[in-house]
Amino acid sequence: MRNSKYAPLFETKRAKGIAIYRLFAVSIFIGICSIWAYRLSHIPRKGEDGKWIWIGLFASELWFGFSWILSEAHRWNPSYRYGNDLPDVDIFVCTADPAIEPPMMVINTVLSVMAYDYPPEKLSVYLSDDAGSDITFYALLEASQFAKHWIPYCKDFNVEPRSPAAYFISVSDTHDTKQDKPLATIKKLYEDMENRIESAAKLGRLSKEICSKHRGFSQWNLYASRRDHHTILQILIDGNATDIKGSALPTLVYLAREKRPQHPHNFKAGAVNALIRVSSNISNGQIILNVDCDMYSNNSHAVLDALCFFLDEEKGHEIAFVQFPQIFENITKNDIYGNSLIVGREVIIYTACTSRVLSFNLFFLSMNYSSVSENNEVVLKVEFHGLDGYGGPLYIGTGCFHRRDALCGKKFSEECKIQWKGGNNTMRREESAHELEETSRFLASCTYEENTQRGKEIGLKYGCPVEDVITGLSIQCQGWKSVYFNPPRSAFIGVAPTTLPQTLEQHKRWSEGDFQIFLSKYGPAWFAHGKISLGLQMGYCCYCLWAPNCLPTLYYSVVPSLCLLRGISLFPQCSTPWFIPYVYVIVSKYAYSLIEFLWSGGTILGWWNNQRMWLYRRTSSYVLGFTDTILKSLGFSDTAFVITAKVADEDVLERYQREIMEFGPSSSSPMFTLLATIALLNLFSLLGVVQKLALNKDSISQYQAMALQILLCSLLVLINLPLYQGLFLRKDKGKIPSSVAVKSVVLALSAITCFTFMY
């Protein structure tokens, strides 16, 4: 297109100053090699204390260095996309539990994507309700009526965002007198709808009067439970419906796929695959957008932005999916749980992580900066652009536009260029909505996929908690490329976890799923070899190896502190030349990580909070993720899927807004026993050293030679202050249960006693 008089649909720019960063990275690598050389040349001789401890530290430092090398794939070749014209688009919204994903939240997301600045006759919106809730169906029915008013209002006043709830908050202080009356009218309609839905949700059932208003409610007559019911499919708005001004409306479809106890339903992956099949018979849009029910559209031009990449005449035929970042609107100023995904894991995605910010142990603190940032800000503002330079980012499960045929298993070839114009939207065919419902219902049955390649080679992959990552990798290994696009106005905004248990449980699932991928036939080190670039392989490996990062982190969090009590030195003294590489690596990576975090929009206190979450995730979530993966690989455990709650009690929300760490009753899990035990072990070790120094002045010279070890232990104690408060000082409902405190004290003292006895 360079020779064309028209501007390209998108432009790719390489990051400026990359040569300077590469030089910096080389200097860090030299420092790491020096640390390895120190470890090898100073292994205690036979008869000296701590030989095996020393070897353990060397193994940990080797792992940290290896992780750092892998993580450089995200920074070695970053690229940034800039969108500067049109097919049918199917939009999938997924929900699974009306108790933790309230119907009002769900329909706000649905309404926001129905109101896209895009020809409505080319839009079809599908809601997958895996709970099969009649209340969620009722909410969607109400939304289908409200949409007739909301969509023309959005177009008349160029509304942003187009989620009604978010919009009404943003215009509370509007001074546009021309808009006052229409605003009051539409707001009143919304509040009336909200009251009706909330009343039904509070009762937990629907009145006979409500059920008589639509034939769809009759499908619940045979409903047994959320895990045992037939397919419920309703086209609430068909291709002939219009809004109050006579303009066309997007197609709107409700689907609760069939579920039976004797058939696996494969969680979210199964829900999306059912939507792919059903939508192929109703609208068959060539582009599919999938969003989580809590991720409303914040940018009405997001569809057009994505299509700029798909429709580009030169490169568009290569692109399988366009991934947008996942932003959270409820992040506190200093992001107490390190959730801001730029957003945001997730990620993934699923989304999300925190390691760029170093760890808390000297070398461990520095070298681990390497293992892919678990800080979501850094992941999406730095690392995903780095992956984009190697052929595209990961698919993180939400906020992603897919080419339908690529998602359905088609391999890339140069003949993949297709005619977008005209579309395949079967909703405009002669069949009535009722006829389409009847012919599509079987496509969502629980037996449809039996003896087929669906869930294996077609659609989202089954058998993994992070179905998005493994699906994206498989698509890229078919020869397709992906694009990461982070526009000035965020495309999607969602809700982040508001308690520590929720955050850690989420990361457990992510780390477990990623490690399962690494150990499976889809491991990027072998499955992707020769199919994608080496840099992208390294990038995938970084995320897939989150879980085993727990091993060196645990070692560095525990062993150096225990050795303090026995006077065993593990780091070079300040007076030796070996001290220099340690200081250089630590200071350089600390400074760089802080600068990178601040550049990504964070605060200094937010950076410190991310250091804490980096440690907590690696010594709790990743430990359980690692052990569960090993148990599953040996056949002792099954895959489970935990939905993150999207609502919080008022007192929990108040503490979250005040940035007080929330533990609560759910912190009685093994993750918190492990966290508290490590925190207390470091506290007892530091107190033991202080006691020795106070009672024996002669020991001062001995401990002066262990300055780095004392600093490490002190940092670990300092970073665990919220844990100590939750264990012993707090009286509110967000404290750590007494049972966990007792177990942790006993375990910490037992570990110290055993170590002292052994050495």
Side-chain angles (χ1 to χ4, degrees):
M1 294 184 67
R2 292 182 187 133
N3 300 324
S4 171
K5 63 180 180 179
Y6 300 106
L9 291 175
F10 69 89
E11 183 179 4
T12 301
K13 292 183 179 180
R14 298 298 173 186
K16 297 179 180 178
I18 191 63
I20 297 173
Y21 175 77
R22 289 176 177 174
L23 245 128
F24 170 74
V26 169
S27 71
I28 294 293
F29 180 69
I30 292 171
I32 291 171
C33 291
S34 300
I35 292 171
W36 289 341
Y38 166 75
R39 283 284 171 217
L40 283 172
S41 61
H42 288 73
I43 297 176
R45 295 180 177 83
K46 188 175 181 179
E48 295 181 345
D49 290 336
K51 180 178 180 180
W52 290 107
I53 294 174
W54 193 276
I55 292 173
L57 282 175
F58 178 53
S60 298
E61 291 167 354
L62 275 176
W63 179 266
F64 290 143
F66 171 69
S67 296
W68 180 85
I69 292 169
L70 285 181
S71 75
E72 284 307 290
H74 301 97
R75 292 165 173 74
W76 202 254
N77 189 35
S79 64
Y80 294 81
R81 310 280 186 173
Y82 301 86
N84 282 340
D85 232 320
L86 262 174
D88 293 339
V89 177
D90 290 346
I91 302 175
F92 299 167
V93 180
C94 297
T95 184
D97 190 336
I100 59 179
E101 296 171 335
M104 282 306 302
M105 172 189 288
V106 175
I107 66 165
N108 268 280
T109 297
V110 169
L111 287 165
S112 71
V113 296
M114 288 181 71
Y116 270 132
D117 188 7
Y118 198 76
E121 66 276 5
K122 290 180 173 290
L123 276 180
S124 298
V125 180
Y126 295 79
L127 176 64
S128 169
D129 178 15
D130 247 15
S133 168
D134 56 348
I135 295 177
T136 300
F137 175 74
Y138 170 60
L140 191 66
L141 180 61
E142 288 279 359
S144 68
Q145 298 303 312
F146 178 71
K148 296 177 181 180
H149 303 267
W150 175 245
I151 294 176
Y153 175 83
C154 291
K155 294 177 179 178
D156 288 345
F157 297 100
N158 196 27
V159 164
E160 294 285 4
R162 297 193 174 180
S163 160
Y167 170 71
F168 292 137
I169 293 173
S170 69
V171 297
S172 56
D173 298 322
T174 183
H175 299 290
D176 187 347
T177 55
K178 292 182 180 179
Q179 193 177 345
D180 284 348
K181 187 175 180 180
L183 174 60
T185 302
I186 197 71
K187 190 172 184 180
K188 178 67 165 56
L189 289 171
Y190 176 79
E191 290 172 347
D192 290 345
M193 175 184 69
E194 182 179 30
N195 290 334
R196 292 192 294 270
I197 294 172
E198 295 289 359
S199 297
K202 189 176 294 185
L203 282 173
R205 58 182 175 80
L206 299 174
S207 67
K208 291 182 179 180
E209 181 185 357
I210 291 175
C211 293
S212 65
K213 291 181 178 180
H214 194 278
R215 60 181 176 83
F217 289 108
S218 63
Q219 296 196 41
W220 271 267
N221 294 338
L222 300 176
Y223 180 87
S225 72
R226 60 188 301 171
R227 294 179 178 85
D228 186 10
H229 61 82
H230 63 294
T231 299
I232 303 174
L233 175 63
Q234 286 291 303
I235 299 175
L236 298 178
I237 301 179
D238 62 21
N240 301 313
T242 59
D243 60 30
I244 59 171
K245 293 194 173 183
S247 300
L249 284 170
T251 299
L252 180 63
V253 181
Y254 172 91
L255 173 66
R257 60 189 171 123
E258 182 185 18
K259 284 187 178 181
R260 302 298 178 193
Q262 65 272 28
H263 293 279
H265 58 82
N266 296 301
F267 310 107
K268 181 181 176 181
V272 173
N273 285 344
L275 285 173
I276 291 173
R277 298 193 300 271
V278 169
S279 66
S280 69
N281 192 54
I282 296 176
S283 53
N284 201 30
Q286 296 132 308
I287 299 297
I288 293 173
L289 161 65
N290 81 284
V291 292
D292 289 342
C293 64
D294 62 324
M295 299 298 297
Y296 69 82
S297 171
N298 185 59
N299 185 341
S300 63
H301 301 291
V303 178
L304 296 174
D305 287 341
L307 291 181
C308 281
F309 300 100
F310 288 114
L311 299 179
D312 185 79
E313 293 182 4
E314 187 175 338
K315 296 290 185 181
H317 67 291
E318 301 176 354
I319 296 169
F321 60 88
V322 177
Q323 180 65 65
F324 285 80
Q326 183 183 4
I327 312 294
F328 299 132
E329 64 181 349
N330 62 329
I331 299 297
T332 58
K333 179 182 178 181
N334 299 302
D335 193 10
I336 186 172
Y337 300 125
N339 283 320
S340 55
L341 263 185
I342 45 189
V343 42
R345 124 200 152 120
E346 174 6 283
V347 197
I348 193 212
I349 165 241
Y350 251 2
T351 293
C353 18
T354 56
S355 130
R356 175 97 327 72
V357 286
L358 309 183
S359 100
F360 279 85
N361 56 48
L362 309 148
F363 180 67
F364 141 107
L365 226 137
S366 65
M367 304 264 300
N368 240 359
Y369 153 92
S370 63
S371 40
V372 184
S373 173
E374 294 147 28
N375 168 281
N376 296 338
E377 286 282 345
V378 175
V379 168
L380 295 178
K381 286 191 174 179
V382 178
E383 292 183 356
F384 271 29
H385 285 295
L387 294 177
D388 211 18
Y390 291 109
L394 289 69
Y395 164 39
I396 62 173
T398 185
C400 189
F401 289 83
H402 294 269
R403 182 190 294 264
R404 180 183 285 267
D405 49 5
L407 191 57
C408 291
K410 182 177 181 178
K411 292 184 178 181
F412 170 77
S413 69
E414 288 298 329
E415 288 70 47
C416 283
K417 293 185 178 182
I418 63 175
Q419 278 292 338
W420 297 103
K421 296 179 181 179
N424 299 322
N425 196 324
T426 58
M427 191 68 235
R428 318 307 169 200
R429 300 183 312 187
E430 295 301 320
E431 292 100 322
S432 67
H434 179 69
E435 290 171 332
L436 284 172
E437 289 171 359
E438 292 301 317
T439 57
S440 303
R441 192 166 285 118
F442 175 65
L443 298 173
S445 68
C446 57
T447 59
Y448 187 86
E449 295 180 338
E450 291 182 355
N451 302 316
T452 72
Q453 290 300 304
R454 298 182 184 277
K456 299 175 183 177
E457 303 298 329
I458 301 173
L460 270 64
K461 300 288 186 288
Y462 293 156
C464 180
V466 286
E467 71 289 325
D468 44 10
V469 176
I470 194 171
T471 299
L473 174 61
S474 180
I475 289 172
Q476 289 170 327
C477 289
Q478 297 270 48
W480 298 95
K481 293 182 179 179
S482 60
V483 166
Y484 176 64
F485 186 54
N486 185 10
R489 181 180 179 88
S490 301
F492 303 97
I493 292 182
V495 180
T498 55
T499 70
L500 185 59
Q502 290 173 3
T503 300
L504 295 182
E505 185 63 44
Q506 192 176 60
H507 275 265
K508 173 186 174 295
R509 178 167 63 85
W510 291 344
S511 63
E512 180 183 337
D514 287 340
F515 193 39
Q516 283 183 25
I517 293 173
F518 186 81
L519 297 179
S520 73
K521 69 175 183 178
Y522 293 103
W526 41 86
F527 177 73
H529 180 66
K531 300 175 183 176
I532 59 177
S533 67
L534 177 61
L536 191 54
Q537 268 186 278
M538 292 170 64
Y540 270 103
C541 285
C542 273
Y543 296 107
C544 289
L545 292 174
W546 275 2
N549 277 324
C550 70
L551 301 178
T553 305
L554 280 173
Y555 196 92
Y556 249 92
S557 300
V558 174
V559 174
S561 297
L562 288 174
C563 288
L564 271 179
L565 292 174
R566 301 297 296 157
I568 301 174
S569 178
L570 300 175
F571 297 98
Q573 298 181 23
C574 302
S575 57
T576 66
W578 294 107
F579 183 75
I580 297 174
Y582 268 92
V583 173
Y584 174 74
V585 171
I586 293 167
V587 172
S588 297
K589 296 198 92 24
Y590 253 125
Y592 180 79
S593 72
L594 178 58
I595 292 169
E596 187 176 65
F597 188 85
L598 295 175
W599 176 81
S600 297
T603 64
I604 293 177
L605 183 54
W607 175 78
W608 177 251
N609 287 335
N610 272 280
Q611 308 305 306
R612 178 183 298 113
M613 291 308 302
W614 182 95
L615 181 65
Y616 286 3
R617 288 164 181 160
R618 292 193 171 205
T619 53
S620 61
S621 302
Y622 296 177
V623 174
L624 267 66
F626 179 81
T627 54
D628 282 1
T629 301
I630 298 300
L631 290 174
K632 285 183 177 68
S633 66
L634 297 174
F636 294 118
S637 180
D638 295 322
T639 298
F641 192 94
V642 179
I643 303 170
T644 305
K646 309 300 190 301
V647 291
D649 296 335
E650 287 187 13
D651 57 336
V652 173
L653 190 57
E654 181 185 355
R655 286 191 289 272
Y656 175 68
Q657 291 169 344
R658 292 165 56 197
E659 297 193 330
I660 298 174
M661 191 160 280
E662 183 74 25
F663 302 99
S666 56
S667 60
S668 56
S669 74
M671 283 193 291
F672 287 88
T673 302
L674 187 57
L675 278 179
T677 300
I678 294 172
L680 291 172
L681 187 147
N682 280 280
L683 178 62
F684 295 157
S685 297
L686 186 61
L687 292 176
V689 171
V690 172
Q691 183 186 37
K692 285 185 179 182
L693 291 174
L695 298 178
N696 185 1
K697 303 294 184 184
D698 295 336
S699 63
I700 294 178
S701 58
Q702 177 191 8
Y703 282 108
Q704 281 179 339
M706 303 172 70
L708 285 179
Q709 236 161 301
I710 294 174
L711 176 60
L712 168 58
C713 187
S714 301
L715 283 172
L716 286 167
V717 169
L718 184 61
I719 205 167
N720 279 308
L721 285 179
L723 260 177
Y724 303 137
Q725 292 171 346
L727 284 167
F728 306 118
L729 302 178
R730 287 171 55 180
K731 303 298 181 185
D732 56 59
K733 294 181 180 179
K735 70 182 183 69
I736 296 176
S738 301
S739 59
V740 174
V742 172
K743 283 189 291 187
S744 302
V745 170
V746 172
L747 288 171
L749 291 175
S750 299
I752 291 173
T753 303
C754 290
F755 187 85
T756 304
F757 178 76
M758 291 171 61
Y759 291 94

